[in-house]
Amino acid sequence: TLGDVPDSSWYTKRHFFRRMSAEDLKRGPGNSTPPSPTGSWPVVSAKSDGVTPGFVIEDERKNRYLLKFDSPDCPELSSAADMIGSKFFYALGYNTPENYIVRFRREKLESSDGASWRDASGVKRVITERVLDDMLRQQPTGRDGSYRALASRWIEGKLLGPFTYDGTRTD
């Protein structure tokens, strides 16, 4: 009430009540539920915005994650920044998703019944195995043929997005 931000669904005064330890800072908002390394990751949907592909997947424990890829020109750049930034913002008090760097082979992803995405023109399309191959075609792979991505654990609640640039300054 005297100028400080109240706790809410987007902010929590973490350092205000109890100073976070070095281990708390390193852990960030989770580090306890990465996508399951066993079983397949059915693709529930694909992200339509942004310049790189992304998929909403579900692991065998029924946890959902948004898989986000780096630009092929700058591998590891945006995923590393997102991973590190989420821990900083969490320490500052913001509620951020659990982020994990994952490596996986193409066989791990599989299209699921009813999965769809919207192409650049806004047309809804079904996600097939061929669509997955096409979306991953530009992504670099490691020496072992694996892909690298950031897996952000799906936050519970009602999705309000996506973010639009309407009404913003052009600069």
Side-chain angles (χ1 to χ4, degrees):
T1 59
L2 299 174
D4 57 327
V5 180
D7 284 348
S8 67
S9 60
W10 62 272
Y11 182 82
T12 303
K13 296 181 239 173
R14 290 187 182 87
H15 279 301
F16 185 80
F17 292 112
R18 183 186 61 84
R19 186 169 175 88
M20 294 173 69
S21 68
E23 188 57 38
D24 290 339
L25 293 168
K26 182 180 175 186
R27 184 179 58 252
N31 266 8
S32 59
T33 50
S36 175
T38 60
S40 62
W41 293 345
V43 174
V44 177
S45 64
K47 74 180 188 86
S48 305
D49 55 343
V51 294
T52 58
F55 307 105
V56 176
I57 58 145
E58 193 171 85
D59 70 4
E60 65 185 0
R61 297 175 303 221
K62 303 297 182 200
N63 291 324
R64 284 195 175 189
Y65 301 85
L66 175 58
L67 280 184
K68 298 182 277 186
F69 294 88
D70 291 302
S71 167
D73 298 333
C74 302
E76 302 184 14
L77 182 67
S78 62
S79 59
D82 200 337
M83 184 78 176
I84 295 165
S86 70
K87 293 181 186 301
F88 275 112
F89 280 103
Y90 182 79
L92 291 171
Y94 294 95
N95 294 325
T96 61
E98 294 178 37
N99 286 333
Y100 303 94
I101 300 293
V102 294
R103 288 201 173 272
F104 63 94
R105 297 186 60 81
R106 166 60 184 92
E107 301 83 42
K108 188 111 175 125
L109 296 179
E110 63 181 33
S111 59
S112 60
D113 292 337
S116 64
W117 67 291
R118 293 198 184 273
D119 66 16
S121 62
V123 176
K124 192 173 187 178
R125 309 251 184 219
V126 174
I127 297 176
T128 63
E129 294 297 320
R130 183 175 178 184
V131 167
L132 291 176
D133 290 338
D134 289 345
M135 289 179 152
L136 290 171
R137 191 172 323 283
Q138 298 300 315
Q139 293 303 308
T141 57
R143 289 188 178 135
D144 64 353
S146 67
Y147 294 97
R148 181 184 190 276
L150 181 81
S152 291
R153 186 159 182 217
W154 200 256
I155 298 173
E156 297 298 322
K158 182 180 177 185
L159 185 62
L160 300 176
F163 179 82
T164 65
Y165 293 96
D166 295 342
T168 60
R169 295 172 19 178
T170 58
D171 63 343

